[in-house]
Amino acid sequence: GLDGQLDREIGTIGKIYREEPEELKDLASHWGITLFRLDDAGGIRQQTEAWEREGLSRGVQPGDSALPLSWTAPSGRRYRVHSVSKSSYRVAAAVEETSLRDTLWTLAVILAMGIPFAAGLAIAGGYFLAGRVLSPIGAMAQKAREITAESLAKRLPVDNARDEFGQLATVFNDTLSRLQDAFERLRRFTADASHELRTP
C-alpha cells in the first residue's frame, strides 16, 4: 500500500544520499520520487519543487513519526507523510492519497450499484431458466390430465429419453401400459364371467 511505498521511497532516498548524493536532484526523473525533503547537518540538502509547493513540511511531525500520517495540504489534496531520522540526515517523503481515495470511492460506487444489478440479473435469469427447464413438466401434466380410463392408450411424449424428464415420462408410460393391460384383463374377465352367467 501507500505506507510500503513510502518506506521504499525513504530507503531509496537514504541510499542515494549515502552513495551518490549528487543524484538526489534526479530522483524524480529516474525513480519517480517527486515528494520528498532531505535535511542534513547543513539544513535542507534537497527538496522537490512539489514538496515545497504543497507545503508538506508542515505535515511532518517534529522528530520521527512512528507511522505515516495522513495530512491535508492547503491545496486540499491529502497526502500520506512519513519521516525517518538517521545519524547524519533526516528524510521525509509523501505520497498523494487523493487519487487512491478517489479510486476507492469510485470502486465503492460501482460495487454499490453493480451488486444489486447483478443480483437482479441473476434472479431474472434464474426465473427465466427455471421456467424453461420446468416447462416440460407442465406439458407432461397437461397430457397426463387428458388420460382417462377410456383413453389409456395415450402416452406422454418423450422428447429426450436420457434426461430426467424423459426418464419420468418413460416410467409413467410404462405404468400406463401395465395399467392398460390390467384394465384389458379385467374387461375380458368381466366379459367372460358375464357370458358364463348368461349361458346355462
Side-chain angles (χ1 to χ4, degrees):
L2 292 178
D3 292 351
Q5 181 181 345
L6 272 174
D7 289 340
R8 286 189 300 277
E9 288 185 3
I10 287 173
T12 302
I13 295 165
K15 181 178 179 186
I16 289 176
Y17 172 70
R18 290 187 308 274
E19 296 174 5
E20 302 175 62
E22 65 281 351
E23 297 291 322
L24 283 172
K25 62 185 178 311
D26 297 326
L27 276 174
S29 59
H30 292 130
W31 295 88
I33 301 173
T34 58
L35 297 167
F36 77 93
R37 174 177 166 168
L38 188 135
D39 298 335
D40 59 13
I44 299 174
R45 173 66 187 259
Q46 183 70 38
Q47 173 176 268
T48 62
E49 184 181 318
W51 178 275
E52 188 174 6
R53 183 179 61 246
E54 289 294 315
L56 291 169
S57 293
R58 288 179 273 172
V60 177
Q61 300 290 322
D64 279 349
S65 54
L67 296 171
L69 304 170
S70 290
W71 184 75
T72 304
S75 66
R77 289 191 177 105
R78 290 190 54 83
Y79 291 93
R80 199 81 172 142
V81 183
H82 191 43
S83 64
V84 174
S85 294
K86 299 295 182 182
S87 58
S88 61
Y89 65 92
R90 180 177 188 215
V91 177
V95 177
E96 188 175 356
E97 281 185 337
T98 306
S99 61
L100 177 65
R101 286 178 184 265
D102 291 346
T103 302
L104 291 175
W105 176 252
T106 302
L107 180 62
V109 168
I110 289 170
L111 288 175
M113 292 171 48
I115 289 174
F117 177 75
L121 189 62
I123 290 170
Y127 185 77
F128 173 75
L129 287 176
R132 298 269 299 163
V133 168
L134 297 177
S135 66
I137 290 183
M140 288 170 56
Q142 181 59 35
K143 282 288 191 184
R145 277 189 209 98
E146 295 171 5
I147 299 172
T148 63
E150 290 77 31
S151 61
L152 285 175
K154 288 185 179 179
R155 297 291 181 263
L156 296 180
V158 179
D159 295 330
N160 182 359
R162 292 187 196 140
D163 70 5
E164 288 79 8
F165 297 132
Q167 291 173 5
L168 179 63
T170 302
V171 168
F172 191 78
N173 288 340
D174 291 345
T175 303
L176 284 175
S177 294
R178 289 192 299 272
L179 190 59
Q180 184 180 12
D181 290 345
F183 265 83
E184 288 299 323
R185 283 194 305 270
L186 184 60
R187 276 194 198 120
R188 280 195 304 271
F189 174 77
T190 305
D192 290 346
S194 171
H195 178 69
E196 290 293 326
L197 288 174
R198 278 193 302 248
T199 55

